Amino acid sequence: MITGANAGIGFATAKQLAGRGAHVILVCRDLGRGKAALEELSRTPLVRGATAPILELAQCDLASLRSVRNFTKAFNSRNIPLHLLICNAGAMAAPERHVTIDGHEAHYQVNFLSHWLLTNNLVSEQIRRRGLANSDRKSGDPPSSALTAPGSSSSGSSSSRPAEDLLPDGSCRVLFLTSLMHHAGKLQWEDKQSVSSYSPFQSYAMTKLAALVTAKELQRRFKSLPPNLSRPGDCAVGVHPGVVLTELCLNFFTEARTNGVSKTDTATSSPAGGDGLARNGQGSGPAGGQGLSLSPAGVVSGLKSAVTAVMNAGSPIIMKTPLSSARDTVMWAVTAPSGLVGGSYVADGGVADGLKESGDLELGKRLWDETRRLTGVEANLLLS
């Protein structure tokens, strides 16, 4: 399952999986654009030995928590396993602060809160079903059909059903797309919803830090599950896809260069409701080393200067394409051993060093509990 799968890195990743015969669910806000993407994906050439993919389109608006709840309820009612969830969709570059129908700052809800709710609702249900399957086995009843994917088979090559072969024990892998810009998110940690002040750049960075912190916290919660509910391959990963040449990313970089004036008249930056947010692709932060200074005087101006330098130097040469990012980094995070990438920050096709504070135990727990309250999720014994 991939959010924002109709464009950019989400679409490129869906194409990689479709070419290997996977069952892929494209989660999109705009059904028109989603249908066009689905049609194009249906023509994806298959790798040798792969069977035809199963492709689906589902609608979900991350700017509405009700939409997320309805979507997860509908999916969970189907009683099928979820092997891989890629939280890719994103919003950026609103020149002014906007609030969603739920009362949250738009970047924070679309990029983070809704993805947290999506993940919690879907993964908690997968874990609950493991308990039911265990009960079935103890009672001598046939295994629950919830653990059998439609069209799945225990035979065949790894290229024919990659998600199932990757997680043969019913494990679940969650990828949160983050960004190098998560380093700057620390500056706004105490004002996550930009109430005191608003900067499109820092608001976006804040959401990417929250995503990485959540990936690490979810990994800890996977590890703390009791043996009867856990699976060896369960893992959560924060993925920086690189500086990717998508329309969404270019709109964001243009905003950084023009002191807050972003383009909102393009296909990717005019969402329904006219909130001025560029959405549904996954742009990411500027290239550069890790270990950035976190002094307020240097981070924002320094990263914006790096953005300008990238753009002035010729973005088509320096920036990655969605295809190369999906193939070299996202798919590496999908296929790498869970013991290697679980709870890690992945960048440039390998494990990298993220902001040190992103792995802080207390920080992760506080963010999780705070997010649970903001999304109206009751505490439970599974994940929340």
Side-chain angles (χ1 to χ4, degrees):
M1 182 182 293
I2 308 173
T3 66
N6 60 278
I9 297 170
F11 177 78
T13 303
K15 197 166 187 176
Q16 290 286 311
L17 292 168
R20 289 160 174 78
H23 179 182
V24 184
I25 300 176
L26 285 67
V27 182
C28 306
R29 178 184 54 86
D30 187 323
L31 281 180
R33 298 182 67 202
K35 289 177 182 177
L38 196 69
E39 175 64 25
E40 185 172 346
L41 284 175
S42 69
R43 298 189 294 270
T44 301
L46 299 179
V47 300
R48 185 176 181 179
T51 59
I54 301 172
L55 303 174
E56 297 184 39
L57 174 63
Q59 185 177 35
C60 182
D61 184 357
L62 298 178
S64 165
L65 295 179
R66 180 179 181 181
S67 179
V68 176
R69 293 188 190 101
N70 289 341
F71 168 75
T72 56
K73 182 178 180 180
F75 178 82
N76 288 339
S77 70
R78 297 175 62 185
N79 294 329
I80 60 175
L82 178 63
H83 300 101
L84 175 66
L85 172 62
I86 302 179
C87 297
N88 160 77
M92 56 173 66
E96 298 178 353
R97 183 180 184 272
H98 292 273
V99 176
T100 68
I101 191 172
D102 300 295
H104 303 299
E105 193 276 320
H107 287 97
Y108 197 60
Q109 178 166 334
V110 173
N111 295 0
F112 174 62
L113 290 178
S114 287
H115 274 130
W116 183 95
L117 180 62
L118 181 82
T119 300
N120 182 81
N121 289 2
L122 294 176
V123 176
S124 292
E125 178 63 14
Q126 294 292 308
I127 295 171
R128 186 186 72 84
R129 289 207 198 105
R130 294 174 184 174
L132 294 178
N134 290 334
S135 298
D136 288 345
R137 283 194 290 269
K138 288 179 181 179
S139 65
D141 293 335
S144 170
S145 60
L147 300 180
T148 304
S152 66
S153 171
S154 60
S155 62
S157 66
S158 61
S159 62
S160 65
R161 309 296 303 180
E164 293 164 19
D165 290 337
L166 173 66
L167 304 169
D169 61 351
S171 297
C172 183
R173 182 172 299 209
V174 182
L175 268 57
F176 294 92
L177 263 67
T178 180
S179 168
L180 175 63
M181 288 199 294
H182 77 272
H183 286 272
K186 183 179 178 181
L187 298 177
Q188 199 168 306
W189 191 256
E190 299 306 320
D191 185 23
K192 297 182 183 67
Q193 302 211 41
S194 308
V195 175
S196 299
S197 63
Y198 176 77
S199 160
F201 189 92
Q202 282 189 228
S203 293
Y204 176 75
M206 170 67 246
T207 67
K208 293 305 166 181
L209 177 56
L212 181 57
V213 171
T214 295
K216 292 176 178 292
E217 177 63 18
L218 178 56
Q219 178 67 19
R220 287 191 285 268
R221 290 174 185 252
F222 273 143
K223 293 298 183 183
S224 67
L225 288 171
N228 65 315
L229 297 180
S230 65
R231 297 292 183 271
D234 289 340
C235 73
V237 192
V239 182
H240 167 46
V243 188
V244 185
L245 187 59
T246 62
E247 189 172 0
L248 181 73
C249 189
L250 290 177
N251 287 340
F252 181 51
F253 284 177
T254 300
E255 188 281 328
R257 297 170 64 200
T258 55
N259 297 317
V261 180
S262 64
K263 296 180 181 179
T264 57
D265 58 349
T266 63
T268 57
S269 57
S270 298
D275 56 14
L277 288 169
R279 291 193 190 169
N280 270 345
Q282 176 62 42
S284 202
Q290 303 298 318
L292 297 177
S293 167
L294 287 173
S295 64
V299 173
V300 175
S301 62
L303 287 176
K304 283 190 175 181
S305 295
V307 166
T308 302
V310 168
M311 295 301 294
N312 290 341
S315 57
I317 298 175
I318 296 176
M319 301 173 76
K320 294 182 179 181
T321 65
L323 172 61
S324 65
S325 175
R327 182 190 62 217
D328 302 336
T329 298
V330 181
M331 288 300 294
W332 186 86
V334 168
T335 58
S338 58
L340 174 63
V341 298
S344 298
Y345 171 63
V346 168
D348 296 323
V351 175
D353 293 326
L355 183 68
K356 181 179 179 181
E357 288 86 344
S358 67
D360 183 87
L361 297 177
E362 288 302 316
L363 188 70
K365 185 179 185 302
R366 287 199 305 272
L367 178 64
W368 190 279
D369 290 342
E370 175 186 303
T371 307
R372 179 179 57 76
R373 290 191 295 270
L374 288 176
T375 54
V377 173
E378 295 184 3
N380 60 65
L381 299 178
L382 299 177
L383 288 180
S384 300

